[in-house]
């Protein structure tokens, strides 16, 4: 008995002392902490993973991986608690407690999400953030041709660890190296090898998730429907991603890259018009995206529009020059424009790092570029005419720091069915990402720039996909619509407004899977997949009629 008493004094009293700064301060924080303390087997670790606004490290932790400063501004909502789990059982306990107490969970693996729905909220209910940044293990298996990567690891870390094991293997995943892998793959995950190998989600072999009951499930346990939904169906709807098993692909020991810039004065409009005609038809080994921005004409104060052709070629410079001369001579690519390097070095080049930066920077795991921004997206099936491009330039020159990135499709992307995974954007020429960036934290400044990008988006309606006007779920855009602000279940009809833009007809199947897998709609946020009203007889009848039909629209009565 004396031994037990001493043991309790050694364990419990220090724990209580460490908790004293936030005890009895906030009912949600207190009850959540009490539940965690009761249910976890790692009591002594709790003070090091449980943070409230009273902790001095709370704000630095909240801001640590947030790429969009708009989402951590003073006017943005903040969580009641940030939990930084060290083990899977910490997450299981958090899910069980949050469900028991009726607290919303937001799960952050990287922080790149454009509207910050993994760490802020525009809904009414209080919420807790699970930050998975400490779960970043990577296990590369060259013989098996695969890699297991935990959700909190970054894309850059993943690339680096694969290249450590093999110079001729890579992963077809994102362009931004500080993306958290967990949330990246659930949106689709495109990158510079998408035309050769498809998306990251196309190359996902398995996953481990925690469901709304706190169970850990792999592909076999969750079933093929749920595994389908995870690969491009957006984050925060079905469960918490613990890790992904991804397929390794072969890459040459030496690849070729280039950046070629052309301004309006150098014929940028005609060159870009031609790019639209060939971008999706080029050799599968060649990825040429276009980065469009503004700047001054050299030696003047007059502004102009600049287009930069940022490319990766999975081959040598000689073969690249032959392809370019035949397919896209208008760009005028010269041998001196091209650089040969390893695939890992090309990751840094495409991401915009100077060539002097060592590849070890990929292990830093932090965003290199931080600003306030608003983003939107579109997909294009037919080339935008030169007159349409000139309308874009007119609007660009009215904004301080506008940016567009045009990513080419075709190749493997066009050979995969729209229903293969929830990501449906296959039969298009290219995708547009719109960005307006600024550095002033004032809300009035934000409103000015957001208003500009909305007007540009309205102008572009005549040139992009329609019925639906498609959008990329990993560029979340709350302008497209949101679930009910009070946190109650949202109607299928209301959610379809944004759901069909992200997923087209795949939205129907996602709703059906969500309803069956998470019927209580525990995992929810501003644009999470809704559930059908199963609790009524009418709702059950709806579900029976709610069958996924490949290539056909489902009619709801």
């Amino acid at each position: 008995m004396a031994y037990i008493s001493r043991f309790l004094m050694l364990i419990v009293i220090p724990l209580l002392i460490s908790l004293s700064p936030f005890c009895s301060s906030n009912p949600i924080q207190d009850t959540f902490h009490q539940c965690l303390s009761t249910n976890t087997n790692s009591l002594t670790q709790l003070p090091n993973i449980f943070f409230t606004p009273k902790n001095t490290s709370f704000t630095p932790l909240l801001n640590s991986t947030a790429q969009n400063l708009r989402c951590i501004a003073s006017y943005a909502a903040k969580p009641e608690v940030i939990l930084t789990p060290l083990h899977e059982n910490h997450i299981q306990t958090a899910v069980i407690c949050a469900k028991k107490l009726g607290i919303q969970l937001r799960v952050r693996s990287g922080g790149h999400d454009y509207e910050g729905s993994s760490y802020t909220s525009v809904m009414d209910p209080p919420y807790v953030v699970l930050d998975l940044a400490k779960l970043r293990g990577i296990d590369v298996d060259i013989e098996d041709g695969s890699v297991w990567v935990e959700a909190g690891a970054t894309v850059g870390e993943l690339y680096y660890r694969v290249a450590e094991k093999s110079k001729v293997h890579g992963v077809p995943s994102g362009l931004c190296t500080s993306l958290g892998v967990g949330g990246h793959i659930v949106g689709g995950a495109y990158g510079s090898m998408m035309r050769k190998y498809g998306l990251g989600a196309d190359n996902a072999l398995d996953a481990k998730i925690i469901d709304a009951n706190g169970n850990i499930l792999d592909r076999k346990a969750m079933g093929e429907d749920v595994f389908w939904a995870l690969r491009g169906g957006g984050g925060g709807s079905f469960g918490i991603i613990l890790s992904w098993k991804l397929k390794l692909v072969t890459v040459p020991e030496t690849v070729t890259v280039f950046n070629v810039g052309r301004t309006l004065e150098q014929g940028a409009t005609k060159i870009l018009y031609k790019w639209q005609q060939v971008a999706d038809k080029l050799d599968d080994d060649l990825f040429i995206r276009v980065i469009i921005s503004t700047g001054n004409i050299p030696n003047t104060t007059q502004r102009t529009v600049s287009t930069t052709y940022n490319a990766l070629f999975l081959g040598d410079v000689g073969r690249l020059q032959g392809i370019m001369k035949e397919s896209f001579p208008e760009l005028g690519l010269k041998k001196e424009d091209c650089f040969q390097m390893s695939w890992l070095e090309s990751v840094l080049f495409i991401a915009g790092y100077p060539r002097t930066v060592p590849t070890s920077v990929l292990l830093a795991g932090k965003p290199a570029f931080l600003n306030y921004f608003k983003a939107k997206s579109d997909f294009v099936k037919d080339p935008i005419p030169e007159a349409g491009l000139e309308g874009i330039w007119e609007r660009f020159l009215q904004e301080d720091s506008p940016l567009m990135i045009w990513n080419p499709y075709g190749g493997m992307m066009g050979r995969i069915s729209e229903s293969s995974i929830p990501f449906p954007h296959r039969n298009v020429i290219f995708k547009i990402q719109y960005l307006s960036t600024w550095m002033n934290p004032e809300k009035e400044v934000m409103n000015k720039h957001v208003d500009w990008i909305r007007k540009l988006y309205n102008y572009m309606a005549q040139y992009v996909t329609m019925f639906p006007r498609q959008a990329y779920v990993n560029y979340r855009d709350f302008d497209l619509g949101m679930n009910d602000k009070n946190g109650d279940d949202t109607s299928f009809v209301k959610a379809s407004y944004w759901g069909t833009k992200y997923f087209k007809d795949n939205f129907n199947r996602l709703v059906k899977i969500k309803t069956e897998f998470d019927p209580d709609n525990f995992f929810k946020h501003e644009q999470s997949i809704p559930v059908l009203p199963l609790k009524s007889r009418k709702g059950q009848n709806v579900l029976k009629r709610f069958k996924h039909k490949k290539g056909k629209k489902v009619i709801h009565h």
Side-chain angles (χ1 to χ4, degrees), residues 49-209:
I49 67 172
F50 188 96
F51 303 90
T52 74
K54 287 196 173 183
N55 294 104
T56 55
S57 52
F58 178 87
T59 298
L61 177 60
L62 178 64
N63 299 353
S64 60
T65 59
Q67 187 196 32
N68 191 350
L69 298 179
R70 177 169 62 88
C71 300
I72 54 174
S74 59
Y75 44 78
K78 307 296 187 292
E80 300 288 338
V81 170
I82 302 175
L83 197 68
T84 57
L86 303 173
H87 308 292
E88 293 174 347
N89 69 292
H90 289 158
I91 305 174
Q92 291 176 286
T93 304
V95 169
I96 291 167
C97 290
K99 190 171 185 180
K100 177 182 177 182
L101 300 171
I103 299 171
Q104 279 199 5
L105 279 185
R106 300 293 174 112
V107 184
R108 179 166 78 173
S109 64
H112 266 243
D113 58 335
Y114 282 8
E115 297 283 13
S117 59
S118 63
Y119 54 94
T120 188
S121 174
V122 297
M123 299 173 78
D124 293 332
Y127 66 100
V128 166
V129 167
L130 288 183
D131 190 317
L132 307 184
K134 293 179 180 177
L135 301 177
R136 51 204 318 146
I138 299 171
D139 183 14
V140 182
D141 188 338
I142 298 298
E143 288 188 11
D144 184 58
S146 66
V147 54
W148 273 103
V149 53
E150 289 189 315
T154 65
V155 167
E157 289 174 303
L158 171 62
Y159 292 162
Y160 189 92
R161 296 307 179 196
V162 170
E164 254 187 341
K165 294 289 184 73
S166 170
K167 304 305 179 189
V168 292
H169 286 86
V171 181
S173 195
L175 299 168
C176 296
T177 59
S178 58
L179 286 160
V181 173
H184 180 46
I185 305 297
V186 291
Y190 77 89
S192 56
M193 294 198 292
M194 61 187 281
R195 303 190 65 253
K196 178 74 170 181
Y197 295 114
L199 305 169
D202 292 324
N203 291 276
L205 303 172
D206 203 343
K208 287 176 67 179
I209 69 168

Side-chain angles (χ1 to χ4, degrees), residues 425-480:
H425 320 290
R426 303 290 182 174
N427 301 309
V428 295
I429 302 175
F430 62 97
K431 174 183 66 195
I432 297 177
Q433 177 178 191
Y434 308 90
L435 286 158
S436 177
T437 66
W438 62 96
M439 288 306 297
N440 189 318
E442 297 299 323
K443 202 165 187 177
E444 294 75 15
V445 175
M446 176 190 76
N447 291 338
K448 170 181 174 286
H449 295 292
V450 170
D451 182 62
W452 174 84
I453 198 170
R454 287 172 177 165
K455 288 178 178 177
L456 175 62
Y457 185 75
N458 290 339
Y459 166 76
M460 292 297 293
Q462 60 193 306
Y463 301 117
V464 299
T465 56
M466 294 299 290
F467 311 115
R469 183 175 184 176
Q470 298 175 43
Y472 180 39
V473 71
N474 263 3
Y475 298 160
R476 284 213 183 269
D477 180 5
F478 289 168
D479 290 353
L480 303 181

